[in-house]
Each structure stands twice: as C-alpha cells, then as structure tokens.
Amino acid sequence: MKKEDIKSILEGIKDGNLSVDNAMDKLNDLPFEDLGYAKIDHHRGLRNGYPEVIYCEGKSVEHIKGIVTKMLERNNNVLATRANDEIYEGLKEVTKDLEYYSAARIIVVKQREIEKTESKILVVTGGTSDIPVAEEAAITAEVMGNSVERLYDVGVAGIHRLLSNRDKLNEASVIITVAGMEGALASVVGGLVDKPVIAVPTSVGYGAHFNGLATLLAMLNSCASGIGVVNIDNGFGAAYLANSINQQLERAMKGSN
C-alpha cells in the first residue's frame, strides 16, 4: 500500500463514498499480514518507498505463490529476486502477467504503470561475466521507477573502453559498478566522476580471489572518494540504494522547478 492509497481511503471517508467500517477493512492488515509461514509487510511501501521484495532462494514454490497471491490483492507490482525456472512456472498458476528475466534471476509482476525518473542510473561492469549481477541491479532499479543505462565490459584490462564512454559517466546521477577479479573498476570510476558510486564485488575470479572476498576488500580499501560498497553479488542491494539516492534527487529537481 502506497501513500496515495491511504490518501484515497481518507478522502473517501471525507466525501462520504466510503464507510468507516469499509475503510477499517482496507487498513486491517497494516502493518503486516500473517500467513503463518510469512508475515507480509504491507506497510513497507509507506515507510521505505517501495513494497516488500520477495527473496526466493530458500523458499518453497508454494510459499512464494502464497506470498505473491496476497501481494497482488493489494494491486502492487511484485518484484521477486533469486528466482529460477521452477518458481517461474509455479507463479504462472497465480498470474499470467509476469515476466522472467533469467539472466538477472528476477520475476516481475506489473499491475501499476511505472513512471521513470528523468535522472539516470548507470550500471557499469568490468567484464561480460559480471552481467548477471549487473542485470539484477539494472532490472531492480527499472522496476523501482528509475531510468537506467547499461555500460558493460569496460574493465581496467582495456581501460580505453571506459574512457571512450566518459559522456555516459557524466550524464548519470548515480553509478553502479559491478566487477570481480581485483575490483579496480570502482576506484577508476570513482576517480573520474563527482557523483555517488556504488560498488558491487562479484564472485567472478580465480583461487586467491576467494569467491569475491578479495574484490570486496579491495573495494572497501579504495582510495577514491564517494564510493559505497555492498555485499558480494548483491546487485539488488546496490539498486535499492541507488534508487533511494536517485528518487531523492528527482524530488529535489522537481521541487526547484
């Protein structure tokens, strides 16, 4: 439930189009609805600006179907991360209005139109192997209402590829860098721009890379300013943070006009 929904209920009572009892029914499951196996946080959209997102990994298909069914009753868009083919097939029994982004492992059910920001989030990868994590970030940011541009395979092994795209770096309001190996991409980008850079270490690399730990530590130790680092392979977390920054910027821009 969004702020607009609460406002509509209150205006309905004020105008006499909605009884107090009917309003109470609509608000009955705030702040959460207990399904036994899950407590759906219907209040999250009001607090955080976006409804609860379903993390599918570790959940049964039946539980995911039950959660999605209840969320759809609130006319929300549904974002489910770390999904797979089995979950996608299962959710087809709940709704046909879904889209599965297999590379990102994301399922989206769109019930509301998504208004996109004028300000832009740029998602940059060091290599092609980083694209699955980058797509998790890009799709998440788009579903949350952001304009997103992608710039893939521009890592430091061929830094001229990045430097030839300086215009894209300069046009973005927030930049998400996704890289494995030694993770130098975040530092390079951070040294070129005057905007927030969110670094995502990936588990792409060889032995002493320690499944992304080496990249994570390298990004945390960057000497470039203005870089924030999320956990290994956490494209979703990077997108959520980028969304918070970008939406605040968008509101500030509209407020100044």
Side-chain angles (χ1 to χ4, degrees):
M1 186 171 283
K2 296 185 175 182
K3 291 180 181 178
E4 292 81 2
D5 299 319
I6 300 291
K7 185 177 180 182
S8 177
I9 291 171
L10 295 175
E11 288 178 343
I13 296 172
K14 178 183 176 183
D15 298 337
N17 298 322
L18 187 67
S19 71
V20 172
D21 287 340
N22 286 338
M24 288 299 295
D25 288 339
K26 291 178 179 291
L27 297 172
N28 188 50
D29 292 320
L30 287 178
F32 67 87
E33 183 174 4
D34 193 345
L35 304 184
Y37 54 84
K39 293 176 176 60
I40 304 175
D41 186 0
H42 294 305
H43 196 256
R44 192 169 301 183
L46 291 173
R47 298 194 318 272
N48 299 147
Y50 194 82
E52 185 172 8
V53 175
I54 304 168
Y55 181 83
C56 295
E57 208 161 65
K59 293 182 176 69
S60 71
V61 175
E62 289 306 311
H63 285 172
I64 294 169
K65 287 166 63 177
I67 294 167
V68 170
T69 298
K70 289 298 181 179
M71 292 183 73
L72 292 179
E73 290 175 1
R74 300 305 181 102
N75 196 35
N76 285 325
N77 292 336
V78 176
L79 174 62
T81 66
R82 299 300 169 97
N84 56 36
D85 291 337
E86 181 186 6
I87 294 168
Y88 174 55
E89 293 300 324
L91 287 179
K92 284 182 179 179
E93 300 172 10
V94 175
T95 177
K96 302 299 181 185
D97 299 323
L98 75 169
E99 191 163 0
Y100 178 39
Y101 300 88
S102 57
R105 297 169 62 191
I106 281 178
I107 293 173
V108 176
V109 183
K110 190 173 80 169
Q111 296 197 118
R112 297 172 181 253
E113 283 301 314
I114 301 172
E115 183 179 349
K116 297 295 179 66
T117 59
E118 292 182 17
S119 50
K120 188 186 305 179
I121 295 172
L122 178 65
V123 182
V124 186
T125 73
T128 305
S129 297
D130 301 310
I131 288 178
V133 176
E135 279 299 295
E136 181 182 64
I139 298 298
T140 297
E142 287 175 336
V143 172
M144 289 182 169
N146 300 278
S147 296
V148 176
E149 187 170 5
R150 294 156 171 83
L151 179 59
Y152 290 169
D153 194 27
V154 291
V156 297
I159 201 169
H160 56 291
R161 299 171 298 177
L162 177 67
L163 298 177
S164 67
N165 284 279
R166 287 288 298 274
D167 56 334
K168 292 183 179 180
L169 298 176
N170 293 331
E171 289 167 3
S173 298
V174 186
I175 300 173
I176 298 173
T177 61
V178 185
M181 302 293 184
E182 82 298 325
L185 179 66
S187 293
V188 173
V189 172
L192 293 173
V193 299
D194 61 349
K195 54 208 65 182
V197 176
I198 303 169
V200 187
T202 72
S203 51
V204 174
Y206 297 103
H209 177 257
F210 298 114
N211 294 317
L213 180 59
T215 312
L216 172 63
L217 294 175
M219 289 177 169
L220 287 170
N221 283 283
S222 173
C223 65
S225 303
I227 297 176
V229 185
V230 298
N231 210 344
I232 299 166
D233 291 337
N234 190 7
F236 167 78
Y240 206 105
L241 177 56
N243 169 71
S244 298
I245 297 169
N246 200 44
Q247 294 291 347
Q248 289 284 354
L249 177 62
E250 189 81 0
R251 285 192 285 271
M253 289 169 57
K254 288 181 178 179
S256 64
N257 291 336

